[in-house]
């Protein structure tokens, strides 16, 4: 009998506690959710809530090309009687660092990194209210790291095909010489072309088995120059491509071979 009374008392107490939690959850859903998250996921990031409402953080999660700048913006709503202030909190391999964000306008703060070299996580705190946790990843800008050349001279010259491996990219031959370029990039690419040589751009073909390698043929017509333009799978392009010379030699067969 005593055991049953204790059981009924325990059940009644549990009902009261659960009813209280349910009421709290209805009227204070955000706070209740954060409290439960602290209990169930103690290692997770729990957003603090202060005197502001964070509406948007830009860019959120992002991938940046190494060396490029990156702006962080936060749009928020601050209580009328509160002095607005925002801090950018970042965590990288070297540890945590903070940057004060500048007020850009009504409800908008910003901070710009002049260049990004390593990945980091970040969050924004506005008047005690924390944003979600975001991540900035870093990728390499695509670049040409090697050029191999394959010369095919006009038939009348009587010259055999000629290979020039690990070339500087400059070309030399009589008019009508076709030069096959085998281009190697530092990372996988999705497109490329030879540009800035008449009569117009020449599309390069990406090797499906090795997407770091492209091939293209250029026919020497006149003395001039060309550049190699490549684009990686994220749409990033190589910056300031090298200008390669094209030297059209006089029409003398025995002087056509590159030395």
């Amino acid at each position: 009998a005593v055991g049953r009374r204790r059981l009924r008392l325990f059940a009644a107490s549990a009902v009261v506690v659960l009813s209280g939690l349910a009421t709290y959850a209805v009227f204070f859903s955000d706070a209740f959710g954060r409290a439960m998250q602290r209990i169930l996921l103690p290692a997770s990031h729990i957003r603090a809530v202060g005197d502001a409402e964070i509406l948007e953080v830009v860019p959120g999660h992002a991938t940046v090309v190494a060396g490029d700048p990156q702006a962080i913006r936060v749009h928020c709503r601050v209580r009328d009687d509160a002095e607005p202030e925002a801090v950018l909190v970042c965590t990288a391999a070297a540890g945590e660092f903070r940057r004060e964000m500048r007020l850009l306008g009504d409800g908008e703060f910003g901070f710009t990194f002049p260049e990004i070299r390593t990945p980091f996580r970040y969050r924004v705190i506005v008047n005690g209210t924390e944003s979600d946790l975001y991540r900035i990843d870093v990728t390499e800008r695509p670049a040409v790291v090697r050029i191999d050349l394959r010369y095919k001279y006009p038939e009348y010259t009587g010259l055999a095909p000629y290979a020039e491996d690990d070339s500087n990219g400059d070309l030399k031959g009589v008019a009508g010489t076709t030069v096959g370029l085998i281009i190697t990039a530092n990372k996988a690419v999705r497109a490329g072309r030879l540009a800035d040589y008449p009569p117009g751009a020449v599309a390069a073909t990406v090797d499906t088995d090795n997407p770091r390698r492209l091939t293209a043929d250029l026919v020497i017509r006149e003395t001039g120059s060309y550049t190699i333009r490549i684009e990686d799978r994220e749409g990033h392009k190589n910056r300031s491509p090298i200008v390669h010379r094209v030297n059209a030699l006089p029409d003398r067969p025995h002087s056509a071979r590159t030395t």
Side-chain angles (χ1 to χ4, degrees):
V2 175
R4 291 179 180 178
R5 283 198 299 272
R6 288 181 177 175
L7 183 60
R8 284 197 297 268
L9 180 60
F10 176 79
S13 300
V15 169
V16 172
V17 171
L18 290 175
S19 299
L21 286 174
T23 302
Y24 184 76
V26 169
F27 291 99
F28 305 97
S29 57
D30 288 343
F32 180 78
R34 289 191 297 273
M36 292 303 296
Q37 188 176 359
R38 286 190 176 94
I39 295 171
L40 300 175
L41 300 170
S44 64
H45 172 64
I46 312 298
R47 293 186 294 116
V49 176
D51 295 331
E53 178 186 1
I54 293 178
L55 305 176
E56 183 183 26
V57 177
V58 180
H61 298 296
T63 298
V64 181
V65 175
D68 276 5
Q70 179 61 56
I72 307 292
R73 300 285 185 268
V74 58
H75 301 273
C76 58
R77 186 182 295 118
V78 181
R79 199 179 64 193
D80 291 340
D81 61 345
E83 183 70 22
E85 58 179 15
V87 177
L88 179 63
V89 183
C90 306
T91 305
E96 182 179 284
F97 59 95
R98 297 181 173 228
R99 297 291 184 268
E100 183 178 347
M101 303 185 76
R102 185 165 58 92
L103 181 62
L104 303 177
D106 186 21
E108 182 180 5
F109 290 85
F111 180 84
T112 299
F113 292 97
E115 64 176 16
I116 302 292
R117 292 293 178 184
T118 57
F120 61 90
R121 294 179 299 167
Y122 75 95
R123 68 186 190 276
V124 176
I125 303 176
V126 182
N127 285 45
T129 299
E130 293 187 49
S131 72
D132 289 328
L133 192 61
Y134 300 102
R135 181 175 179 86
I136 297 292
D137 288 312
V138 179
T139 186
E140 291 182 285
R141 182 173 293 280
V144 174
V145 296
R146 180 182 170 114
I147 303 172
D148 298 316
L149 305 177
R150 300 293 181 263
Y151 283 85
K152 184 178 180 181
Y153 300 104
E155 186 175 351
Y156 74 86
T157 65
L159 296 174
Y162 174 75
E164 182 181 342
D165 292 330
D166 201 9
S167 166
N168 65 4
D170 291 344
L171 311 180
K172 182 167 63 174
V174 297
T177 298
T178 298
V179 185
L181 289 87
I182 304 171
I183 304 159
T184 303
N186 62 332
K187 62 187 301 189
V189 299
R190 69 181 182 189
R193 71 185 192 278
L194 308 181
D196 306 314
Y197 185 74
V202 177
T205 301
V206 178
D207 189 330
T208 55
D209 294 326
N210 179 8
R212 291 179 54 205
R213 186 170 65 184
L214 310 89
T215 56
D217 289 340
L218 187 147
V219 179
I220 296 177
R221 293 182 172 86
E222 60 186 59
T223 295
S225 61
Y226 75 97
T227 58
I228 301 174
R229 311 296 179 100
I230 57 176
E231 182 177 324
D232 68 15
R233 291 172 171 176
E234 290 77 39
H236 303 124
K237 299 177 181 179
N238 59 325
R239 178 178 289 171
S240 303
I242 295 173
V243 177
H244 302 284
R245 294 176 298 172
V246 179
N247 186 9
L249 298 174
D251 189 5
R252 295 195 299 271
H254 293 295
S255 66
R257 171 169 285 187
T258 303
T259 57

